[in-house]
Amino acid sequence: MSLFTETYDVIVVGGGHAGSEAAAAAANMGAKTLLVTMSLQNIAQMSCNPAMGGIAKGQIVREIDALGGYSGIVTDETAIQFKMLNKSKGPAMWSPRAQSDRMRFAEKWRSMLEQTENLDFYQDMIAGLVIEDKKIIGVRTGLGFEIKAKTVVITAGTFLNGLIHIGEKTFGGGRAGESASTGITEDLVKEGFEAGRMKTGTPPRVDAKSLDFSKMIEQPGDAKPEKFSYSRTTNKLTEQRSCYMSYTSQEVHDLLREGFDRSPMFNGRIKSTGPRYCPSIEDKIDRFATKDKHQIFVEPEGWDTTEIYVNGFSTSLPEDVQDKALRKVAGFENVKFLRFGYAIEYDYFPPTQLKHTLETKLVENLYFAGQINGTTGYEEAASQGLMAGINAALKVQSKEPFILKRHEAYIGVLIDDLITKGTEEPYRMFTSRAEYRTLLRQDNADLRLTPKAFELGMVGKDRLDRVKEKQEKTDLFVAFLRDTSVSHVDVNPILEAKNSAPVNQSMKMFKLAARPQLDFDDVRKFPKVQEFIDANNIDDEIIEQTEIHVKYAGYIDKEKRNADKLSRLENVSIPDNFDYEKVKSLSTEARQKLAKIKPVTISQASRISGVSPSDVSVLLVYMGR
């Protein structure tokens, strides 16, 4: 069959992180899939920093992996450093992050995609969409021919009418050295879609040979590096590359200010909104004028390259200003630039125009994922791509959609926030966005999601069996601690050594292990505990799960009860054709917001900005509750 005659189940437009996960998911679900990208050699390119994970983002990568996505595997196999962030805080805040070899990352992604059955590739720009009677039936390429499809997933990243800014220079492009994509936005607007513009940026890349690392603060990886994937990845990371940290100064800030009148951010040429939580250096200086310094993270791009990513110095200032100012940062006195920083503006579509499946409300069988929905970050994009790919395949197969709820995954929080609240600035995930973050930890993503992935056909029985074993052994260990007593004679020396109050009678191990002063290294000092661990082949992962369960049992149980309450409202559905105008006791704002967003459940309606608790009560009465 040729491109001219075949009808694909799923066509994925764009080969970034969202597109790669979407294509892999749809193909692994058994859908005949085509990935169309403007540059096959740039599949899954790390366009910005050479790292995956971080605060809340690491949890998302673990969830992608638990659901059968590829991001965690690729990150493990190409990592040059691993760190678990926030270890000084509670486990709900622990967030894995890995530096990757940028070239090997893209190479590994392409290799895995090429080995995926049911997946074809084609290099061309998609210049338009073929839509009939509000249903997509194919795409139109830059060469002018049509490819038929039952569903289409658009993951265009920053390419839709992309415009690059460096100082007073402006030129079209979706990424440095790559042309913008045109035609898709125009076709969607004709169909009634609302479009907007967003902005993001990237810092300079410099030559490591020109830097003096002795003037910087070394940032090594963890002494015992972990990994992202729950599968058996092979890269053990016995060696790691260090990152480094330096600081700007008042002198650097003064030099940067000299270029503000030539900055597209301040002279009005950039009118769109940039990411609040990843601002450019000029934005930081302007917004935080009282701060006399900002951190600069110096991140290697790989094992065998001298290219360095200057994290924290994202900018669209003129080249001469970038050069002059960066030379005043400690260690950068003799810096050689490989690429200057730039800003990029691009089209996005407010995500309130989507269903929870990421299918658009206006055009059937059309899905959006990634930056087209107003998000920023590889991880946010990849998770949306995974969910869009899964749901596109399910739609073709006439199966029920796959939707993750807020208490089930960070991915569920991300999509629900986008669909329900929308976004007017690039959306980035944080742990604070998840009201059930004690349940949604990075360590238990496999327990939460792998059974769902198995039902979908995204993972095999071996993965499911390992998850079951992990859960069974954790339950067994917790039960042992609940049932096993230890005498006060044996326990008091350990308690006193840790400045914990002694006891005057025998006590259950569970209650002792829950004390904040004790860790599980102390608990293992009791012969009965170590005997149990040895007899049942309990590994470090099970010990960590057990310790979290014991120490945070109260918090976990409370969040589970709250999640159960939420689930009851999730079960109260709202008909698609419900007429909010007839409910006169709703506030005017609530009627307008509800009619626009069209929530599918009372729970979703309650999260819409402008819908008050009294409005929710009114809806419950109308729904017969």
Side-chain angles (χ1 to χ4, degrees):
M1 300 285 284
S2 76
L3 286 172
F4 302 100
T5 58
E6 183 157 8
T7 298
Y8 281 92
D9 292 327
V10 181
I11 289 180
V12 177
V13 179
H17 296 262
S20 296
E21 286 287 8
N28 283 324
M29 294 277 292
K32 185 62 179 172
T33 305
L34 176 68
L35 175 61
V36 186
T37 177
M38 294 167 67
S39 175
L40 283 171
Q41 62 264 39
N42 290 334
I43 282 176
Q45 176 86 274
M46 295 183 116
S47 314
C48 206
N49 64 320
M52 291 289 282
I55 307 301
K57 293 168 175 279
Q59 283 88 329
I60 289 175
V61 178
R62 284 263 163 94
E63 290 178 352
I64 291 169
D65 183 77
L67 286 167
Y70 288 179
S71 289
I73 296 170
V74 173
T75 302
D76 284 350
E77 298 293 5
T78 60
I80 63 175
Q81 187 197 85
F82 184 95
K83 289 187 100 167
M84 185 66 76
L85 306 181
N86 280 344
K87 279 293 277 188
S88 62
K89 300 180 180 179
M93 304 297 288
W94 297 353
S95 301
R97 184 180 191 270
Q99 295 287 136
S100 276
D101 185 305
R102 192 164 65 88
M103 289 183 285
R104 294 182 187 179
F105 185 92
E107 179 185 33
K108 181 64 178 177
W109 250 113
R110 179 163 176 175
S111 172
M112 289 187 68
L113 287 173
E114 288 182 346
Q115 293 171 45
T116 301
E117 292 184 18
N118 304 314
L119 181 57
D120 293 341
F121 303 85
Y122 178 64
Q123 179 172 296
D124 198 352
M125 183 178 82
I126 296 302
L129 306 174
V130 186
I131 300 168
E132 290 183 2
D133 299 324
K134 294 294 182 181
K135 182 181 289 190
I136 195 153
I137 59 171
V139 296
R140 188 172 62 256
T141 77
L143 290 176
F145 65 87
E146 295 180 2
I147 310 174
K148 295 183 177 66
K150 296 174 184 175
T151 61
V152 173
V153 182
I154 300 180
T155 68
T158 59
F159 282 76
L160 290 182
N161 293 317
L163 197 62
I164 292 174
H165 299 270
I166 303 179
E168 293 148 312
K169 303 179 180 71
T170 301
F171 48 93
R175 192 161 50 200
E178 297 179 62
S179 60
S181 171
T182 58
I184 291 177
T185 296
E186 293 74 14
D187 280 358
L188 290 170
V189 170
K190 284 178 192 171
E191 293 295 327
F193 283 89
E194 175 192 351
R197 296 283 278 176
M198 279 190 177
K199 172 223 143 197
T200 190
T202 193
R205 275 42 159 213
V206 303
D207 190 341
K209 299 193 299 292
S210 67
L211 304 182
D212 185 350
F213 292 100
S214 69
K215 295 182 179 179
M216 306 178 195
I217 303 165
E218 187 173 7
Q219 305 278 295
D222 289 347
K224 294 182 178 179
E226 299 178 40
K227 60 194 191 79
F228 270 106
S229 181
Y230 294 101
S231 62
R232 294 189 172 97
T233 47
T234 58
N235 182 16
K236 300 300 182 185
L237 207 57
T238 52
E239 293 180 42
Q240 299 186 68
R241 287 286 304 271
S242 286
C243 297
Y244 291 83
M245 186 170 68
S246 191
Y247 289 90
T248 61
S249 63
Q250 199 60 58
E251 182 182 17
V252 174
H253 299 179
D254 291 342
L255 288 169
L256 290 168
R257 283 193 187 96
E258 289 178 11
F260 278 13
D261 61 330
R262 298 159 61 199
S263 165
M265 265 192 58
F266 296 113
N267 63 20
R269 287 214 325 280
I270 292 179
K271 296 181 173 62
S272 47
T273 308
R276 177 191 301 265
Y277 304 104
C278 189
S280 64
I281 187 66
E282 55 264 43
D283 195 20
K284 282 190 277 191
I285 292 169
D286 184 58
R287 281 165 51 190
F288 308 109
T290 57
K291 292 196 71 171
D292 58 6
K293 65 179 181 179
H294 294 284
Q295 291 175 326
I296 300 292
F297 294 99
V298 183
E299 302 180 352
E301 295 262 8
W303 289 114
D304 305 316
T305 179
T306 63
E307 189 169 355
I308 293 289
Y309 180 88
V310 190
N311 198 342
F313 206 84
S314 175
T315 181
S316 58
L317 285 164
E319 300 97 313
D320 60 309
V321 178
Q322 295 186 36
D323 182 88
K324 193 188 301 182
L326 193 56
R327 287 180 185 279
K328 296 301 181 181
V329 175
F332 285 81
E333 293 82 359
N334 300 304
V335 65
K336 290 182 180 178
F337 282 75
L338 301 179
R339 290 190 265 165
F340 288 101
Y342 63 86
I344 183 167
E345 288 186 285
Y346 55 93
D347 293 339
Y348 88 105
F349 290 82
T352 51
Q353 300 171 100
L354 303 176
K355 302 174 183 178
H356 275 83
T357 58
L358 299 180
E359 184 182 16
T360 69
K361 295 174 182 175
L362 284 174
V363 175
E364 189 178 356
N365 298 335
L366 176 63
Y367 296 76
F368 292 168
Q371 285 177 280
I372 191 172
N373 291 336
T375 60
T376 180
Y378 306 146
E379 303 83 359
E380 289 89 342
S383 67
Q384 292 171 71
L386 178 82
M387 296 298 286
I390 289 172
N391 278 306
L394 290 171
K395 186 79 181 284
V396 169
Q397 295 161 1
S398 301
K399 295 179 180 177
E400 287 295 310
F402 179 61
I403 297 169
L404 290 168
K405 297 184 176 66
R406 294 182 72 89
H407 66 280
E408 293 178 317
Y410 270 91
I411 297 173
V413 174
L414 166 68
I415 293 175
D416 185 66
D417 276 355
L418 293 173
I419 306 314
T420 304
K421 300 173 183 176
T423 186
E424 295 179 354
E425 62 184 38
Y427 177 102
R428 178 180 177 180
M429 178 53 72
F430 290 102
T431 50
S432 58
R433 295 191 190 273
E435 58 270 48
Y436 303 110
R437 55 186 172 274
T438 306
L439 301 180
L440 309 182
R441 305 184 310 275
Q442 56 83 31
D443 60 89
N444 70 354
D446 56 339
L447 300 176
R448 289 185 278 121
L449 300 176
T450 298
K452 297 178 186 293
F454 178 74
E455 289 176 14
L456 288 168
M458 288 286 289
V459 302
K461 190 171 182 302
D462 60 324
R463 285 278 294 266
L464 182 66
D465 288 344
R466 291 207 302 276
V467 167
K468 285 182 176 178
E469 182 182 22
K470 178 178 175 179
Q471 186 66 67
E472 288 166 359
K473 286 190 174 182
T474 301
D475 293 344
L476 188 67
F477 199 179
V478 170
F480 167 80
L481 295 173
R482 286 191 186 279
D483 296 339
T484 304
S485 298
V486 61
S487 76
H488 65 285
V489 175
D490 292 332
V491 76
N492 279 338
I494 294 173
L495 295 178
E496 289 164 2
K498 285 301 185 86
N499 295 317
S500 187
V503 296
N504 55 16
Q505 61 184 13
S506 294
M507 186 173 281
K508 296 294 185 186
M509 288 295 309
F510 187 96
K511 195 169 182 180
L512 287 168
R515 290 195 177 194
Q517 298 90 346
L518 301 189
D519 58 33
F520 262 50
D521 285 338
D522 300 313
V523 175
R524 293 177 74 166
K525 291 175 182 175
F526 298 105
K528 288 181 182 177
V529 176
Q530 192 57 52
E531 286 169 11
F532 176 86
I533 289 171
D534 294 338
N536 292 278
N537 196 24
I538 302 292
D539 60 22
D540 290 342
E541 188 178 22
I542 306 299
I543 291 170
E544 180 184 81
Q545 279 294 299
T546 304
E547 183 171 13
I548 290 169
H549 184 91
V550 170
K551 290 191 177 297
Y552 296 90
Y555 298 103
I556 292 169
D557 289 344
K558 182 180 178 181
E559 283 202 358
K560 282 180 178 176
R561 289 195 297 273
N562 289 338
D564 288 342
K565 291 178 186 176
L566 174 76
S567 293
R568 289 198 286 274
L569 287 181
E570 289 284 4
N571 293 330
V572 183
S573 60
I574 302 174
D576 288 341
N577 58 354
F578 187 81
D579 183 5
Y580 294 99
E581 286 302 318
K582 72 182 181 184
V583 189
K584 300 304 180 185
S585 44
L586 287 173
S587 68
T588 301
E589 183 183 7
R591 282 201 301 273
Q592 292 171 348
K593 295 280 183 70
L594 290 163
K596 179 181 178 181
I597 294 171
K598 293 188 169 81
V600 295
T601 67
I602 293 291
S603 180
Q604 186 193 354
S606 72
R607 294 190 292 274
I608 297 172
S609 176
V611 176
S612 69
S614 61
D615 293 321
V616 173
S617 297
V618 170
L619 287 175
L620 281 169
V621 170
Y622 267 82
M623 297 304 133
R625 297 299 177 101

